[in-house]
Amino acid sequence: MDDSHTRRGQPCWYKIPKVGIIAVNDGVVLRNHIPRVLKKHFREKAYYVDLVDLFNEVEFQTASGQMIDLITTLVGEKDLSKYSLSTHRRIVQYKTAYYSFYLPVACALLMFGENLDDHVQVKDVLVEMGTYFQVQDDYLDCFGAPEVIGKIGTDIEDFKCSWLVVKALELANEEQKKFLHENYGRKDPATVAKVKELYHTLNLQGVFEDYENTSHEKFIKSIEAHPSKAVQAVLKSFLGKIYKRQK
């Protein structure tokens, strides 16, 4: 959907010869395997209906987040004035946080006989963790090495509502803002390099490092406030997998 060329070190499926637009139907087929898998393995379980409802709700949230992401980057309608931290947060919360972080833990809670309404605190921590994960992704898209992160970053060319450009707009002077408005989203490699140069000038690497350290402290405080040591262990396990990640 965003014209990317690679994912996890491999060419995107639609870029494979003889696949192309058929990739859309392949995606539909894969999506339809979700209820089939759930039915095959969990149909007789007491939590089956709740599990199906959970997957349906998270799919809706993810598709909504992707939609918000795509409509903020419509070709011919490039307007950086719509980009803010609140817009970025809304996109990443729905596009990434729910399915990547909340869904697996919510599944485990249901399978353990828990009511998800009793675990709002867990949900809040996981959604925040997912937001932090996407901010890392935005950072690595620009500053990460393609051979390490497994993809070639295109957020600048694609006019994405990235955490980096949002922070740059916050920190930039009027001349720098004018430059971003005129050059962000252009496909020219030389222009992309100049945008990255501005990011360096604004010390976005240092800004990100501060954000990462502050976020980690907040996560630890929130996690350790939970009464269950087992839940704490799960949440700390998640945090340990992503803190300071390089890919």
Side-chain angles (χ1 to χ4, degrees):
M1 293 183 191
D2 58 10
D3 293 325
S4 291
H5 295 276
T6 59
R7 274 294 184 277
R8 292 164 179 80
Q10 301 293 326
C12 285
W13 183 243
Y14 78 100
K15 288 291 187 182
I16 301 294
K18 298 183 181 180
V19 176
I21 199 69
I22 296 172
V24 175
N25 194 66
D26 292 339
V28 174
V29 172
L30 286 172
R31 179 262 173 265
N32 276 276
H33 273 70
I34 294 173
R36 295 168 68 88
V37 169
L38 294 178
K39 182 178 179 180
K40 178 179 179 180
H41 295 283
F42 304 105
R43 188 177 185 180
E44 305 303 323
K45 303 294 184 182
Y47 52 77
Y48 173 62
V49 173
D50 291 328
L51 200 60
V52 173
D53 280 348
L54 174 65
F55 271 86
N56 286 337
E57 180 63 19
V58 170
E59 181 183 18
F60 173 74
Q61 291 164 333
T62 306
S64 297
Q66 179 70 356
M67 178 187 68
I68 298 168
D69 189 16
L70 292 172
I71 63 177
T72 58
T73 60
L74 288 174
V75 176
E77 297 184 19
K78 295 178 179 177
D79 181 9
L80 272 184
S81 64
K82 346 182 244 192
Y83 286 4
S84 64
L85 271 180
S86 60
T87 301
H88 178 268
R89 179 179 176 80
R90 188 165 66 250
I91 292 171
V92 304
Q93 178 176 330
Y94 285 94
K95 190 180 83 165
T96 301
Y98 283 110
Y99 93 86
S100 293
F101 287 81
Y102 176 62
L103 177 60
V105 175
C107 286
L109 288 168
L110 286 177
M111 295 171 75
F112 199 68
E114 293 290 314
N115 185 330
L116 295 183
D117 291 337
D118 297 333
H119 294 278
V120 176
Q121 181 188 355
V122 173
K123 180 179 181 179
D124 291 344
V125 171
L126 288 165
V127 170
E128 281 299 322
M129 217 177 281
T131 302
Y132 160 68
F133 180 86
Q134 185 60 49
V135 171
Q136 286 180 311
D137 221 45
D138 291 352
Y139 177 84
L140 292 171
D141 181 274
C142 178
F143 295 111
E147 63 273 14
V148 176
I149 65 175
K151 66 178 179 178
I152 300 169
T154 60
D155 283 359
I156 295 173
E157 297 95 315
D158 294 338
F159 198 73
K160 283 300 180 75
C161 184
S162 163
W163 183 83
L164 291 174
V165 75
V166 169
K167 294 304 292 186
L169 288 167
E170 278 190 358
L171 299 168
N173 59 35
E174 290 306 312
E175 184 180 344
Q176 291 167 329
K177 285 180 184 176
K178 185 173 183 291
F179 170 81
L180 281 172
H181 278 271
E182 292 175 352
N183 294 281
Y184 192 74
R186 291 175 59 183
K187 303 278 185 184
D188 176 36
T191 305
V192 172
K194 288 180 181 178
V195 172
K196 289 185 178 182
E197 186 178 323
L198 176 58
Y199 286 174
H200 280 289
T201 301
L202 295 171
N203 189 30
L204 289 190
Q205 287 166 296
V207 174
F208 170 76
E209 188 176 335
D210 289 342
Y211 165 81
E212 186 165 52
N213 291 332
T214 301
S215 296
H216 186 262
E217 290 175 8
K218 288 180 179 177
F219 286 135
I220 294 297
K221 187 176 180 180
S222 297
I223 292 170
E224 293 184 345
H226 196 281
S228 168
K229 292 294 183 183
V231 172
Q232 284 188 33
V234 171
L235 295 177
K236 284 185 176 180
S237 173
F238 268 65
L239 183 59
K241 292 178 187 299
I242 62 172
Y243 182 54
K244 299 281 189 183
R245 71 186 176 97
Q246 298 299 311
K247 61 179 180 178

